[in-house]
Amino acid sequence: MFNKLRKSRFARDAAPLQVAAGVTSMGNLASTMALAFLLGARLQGTFYLAMALYSLFYLLGNVGLSTVTVSHVAKAIGANDRGSVVAWLGFLLKASSLLSLVMLGLAFLVLPPVAQHFYEDPRVGEWAIALCFLPLVEIPRVVCAAALQGTRRMKDLAQLENSVEATRVLLIVSLILITGRAEGAIWGTLAAGLAASILALVLYRRARRDESSESERKSLLPSLREILQGMRVLPLREGLPQGIQVGFMRNVDALVLDVAPTLLMGYFAGPASAAYFRIAQRFLRLPLMLLQGISRTAVPAFSNLIGQRDLAVFRQAFYRATMIGGGMITLGLAVAIPLVPYVTRTFFPHDYWDEVPFYTYVLAAGFAVTGFSSGLESFYIATDRVGVALRIGFGLGFPCIVLMFLGGFFFGAIGVAVGMSLTMMVGLCHHTYIAWYFRRKLGAEGGSSGGATGITPTPEVAS
């Protein structure tokens, strides 16, 4: 078994991203601990509410540009089409820049009245506006990361993300200590975004140099000048429709499972409860972060399988990734949850000791079910059925938000937490559709593994 994993390119690509995800999750936990002592529960909760409000606003205009670009770059690499690599990375740079500028302008008009209506502290809206500069300063990092992921240079991508996370924690803590103000967390976040882009450019140039030395051919990774020139190749309409669909698919999950619960917790129970709730999520996401290596490797890997038109191989790869990821998460949760009370009492202030473990226990079942979702997004992208994911997401997502709202209205904080745990379980509906899809397609082929009726995308997105 270990020999098969060692020989599998999918496993080799996923491994460094798994390590990077672990480092990122530990960095998140370290910054969470530092904020607990430096800010206290109320100000820490205010910071989390500002982050959630910024995320809610940006999700409304965000599209899946990066994921779509990674998929197309992977296909171009498989076809040895360097021109398409340049064109798609240029498209990502152009579209991301325009989107970030438009959303930043809208933020000054939308966020202050929204924050004032729902929360007493005006800093929630002010900090959320400041955070809207983050997507703009992170554009170079986004483009470089998409290029590295699409060309499956996962070690370079992992090094980038590890460096970015270490820098983020250092700058946030340092600026809080230097300024002596809670706003230091916001300034540190923005400074970390700028540092991430600089690091990305440095590591990207190194990756190009290494790739050129490994082969006599011209590097498939284009230069920064070529990417700038590539902005003129593809019009926005070329990738924007699919990007919007992918973005909505991803954003519905983020809205329902992350942003809405935090905002509802702050609304019904106050900033301190929002902090306890968010920290419990951080603990449970420590093992869940292990899915990132699998899910992010699956996007280019599944896209490559499209060219082979082998549905049986695709189904096997999907379920293998799903079961391995789910097994890893279940085992990780079984180890992590009993340690939460000890870690909380050892590394957090006294008022966190009982609240954080309580929310952890309530959310545990939902996180366990979510562990089997590593390949869902990649499946919908590879089969060009993002529209189906959108219908499932919208059909179930907004009723789930209503469920959490009603839980908070009638039962307070515990109602929001229970509603979120139940919401995380409805993702099983995606697996029901995917099982039906494979059964229908393979049945139409008479059990064969290939042919034009396999996984080749159809013109209709949600057929």
Side-chain angles (χ1 to χ4, degrees), residues 17-35 48 161-162 164-170 172-173 279 281-290 292 332 335-336 339 343 347-348:
L17 292 183
Q18 298 285 36
V19 174
V23 172
T24 299
S25 62
M26 294 305 296
N28 286 336
L29 184 59
S31 63
T32 297
M33 295 176 183
L35 290 175
Y48 288 151
E161 295 185 347
N162 288 342
V164 167
E165 182 58 28
T167 304
R168 187 189 69 83
V169 175
L170 176 63
I172 289 177
V173 173
I279 293 170
Q281 290 178 286
R282 286 280 172 86
F283 276 122
L284 292 172
R285 281 177 180 155
L286 283 173
L288 199 63
M289 291 290 282
L290 295 174
Q292 286 195 358
V335 173
L339 296 176
V343 174
F347 298 104
F348 285 86

Side-chain angles (χ1 to χ4, degrees), residues 19-303:
V19 174
V23 172
T24 299
S25 62
M26 294 305 296
N28 286 336
L29 184 59
S31 63
T32 297
M33 295 176 183
L35 290 175
F37 283 99
L38 293 173
L39 301 181
R42 181 173 180 80
L43 281 177
Q44 185 179 19
T46 302
F47 173 67
Y48 288 151
L49 288 175
M51 289 287 293
L53 183 60
Y54 149 73
S55 299
L56 173 63
F57 172 74
Y58 197 74
L59 287 177
L60 296 177
N62 187 24
V63 293
L65 299 174
S66 181
T67 302
V68 170
T69 300
V70 168
S71 178
H72 283 284
V73 168
K75 294 175 185 177
I77 292 295
N80 198 26
D81 183 1
R82 192 173 186 275
S84 292
V85 175
V86 174
W88 278 103
L89 291 177
F91 165 82
L92 177 61
L93 176 59
K94 175 175 60 178
S96 297
S97 300
L98 292 174
L99 175 67
S100 298
L101 289 172
V102 170
M103 296 305 294
L104 179 61
L106 291 175
F108 286 92
L109 299 176
V110 175
L111 292 184
V114 172
Q116 184 177 4
H117 179 76
F118 289 101
Y119 303 102
E120 297 178 357
D121 194 335
R123 286 176 293 191
V124 173
E126 295 169 0
W127 293 358
I129 290 176
L131 288 169
C132 287
F133 284 92
L134 189 60
L136 193 61
V137 301
E138 283 194 325
I139 288 173
R141 181 195 65 79
V142 170
V143 175
C144 292
L148 295 175
Q149 186 181 355
T151 55
R152 302 185 75 169
R153 297 190 66 91
M154 301 309 187
K155 290 183 180 179
D156 295 307
L157 182 60
Q159 289 178 357
L160 171 61
E161 295 185 347
N162 288 342
S163 301
V164 167
E165 182 58 28
T167 304
R168 187 189 69 83
V169 175
L170 176 63
L171 288 174
I172 289 177
V173 173
S174 297
L175 285 175
I176 292 176
L177 292 173
I178 291 171
T179 62
R181 301 174 60 186
E183 285 80 1
I186 302 297
W187 299 333
T189 301
L190 294 175
L194 180 60
S197 289
I198 297 173
L199 285 169
L201 293 173
V202 172
L203 291 175
Y204 183 78
R205 290 187 64 183
R206 189 192 69 179
R208 288 192 73 246
R209 186 171 60 251
D210 293 344
E211 190 177 71
S212 298
S213 64
E214 292 169 1
S215 173
E216 296 181 356
R217 297 181 310 170
K218 191 175 183 180
S219 173
L220 287 172
L221 288 172
S223 66
L224 299 179
R225 177 180 296 181
E226 288 177 304
I227 294 176
L228 288 172
Q229 294 173 346
M231 294 174 65
R232 301 193 298 265
V233 177
L234 293 177
L236 289 177
R237 64 177 181 273
E238 185 72 22
L240 205 55
Q242 187 182 9
I244 291 173
Q245 288 188 322
V246 173
F248 273 126
M249 178 180 68
R250 177 175 291 177
N251 295 341
V252 167
D253 288 341
L255 173 64
V256 175
L257 300 179
D258 189 20
V259 176
T262 301
L263 293 174
L264 290 173
M265 186 65 71
Y267 180 72
F268 287 112
S273 293
Y276 304 141
F277 181 73
R278 188 66 174 261
I279 293 170
Q281 290 178 286
R282 286 280 172 86
F283 276 122
L284 292 172
R285 281 177 180 155
L286 283 173
L288 199 63
M289 291 290 282
L290 295 174
L291 281 178
Q292 286 195 358
I294 295 175
S295 60
R296 296 173 67 186
T297 304
V299 173
F302 289 175
S303 295

Side-chain angles (χ1 to χ4, degrees), residues 345-403:
R345 289 179 177 271
T346 304
F347 298 104
F348 285 86
H350 185 275
D351 55 323
Y352 291 72
W353 289 3
D354 294 327
E355 299 291 336
V356 174
F358 172 74
Y359 287 122
T360 303
Y361 301 146
V362 174
L363 296 173
F367 272 87
V369 174
T370 303
F372 293 88
S373 63
S374 59
L376 294 183
E377 179 183 286
S378 302
F379 165 84
Y380 286 118
I381 294 173
T383 58
D384 202 16
R385 276 160 173 75
V386 177
V388 175
L390 284 175
R391 289 201 290 271
I392 295 175
F394 279 110
L396 298 176
F398 289 103
C400 287
I401 293 178
V402 173
L403 174 66

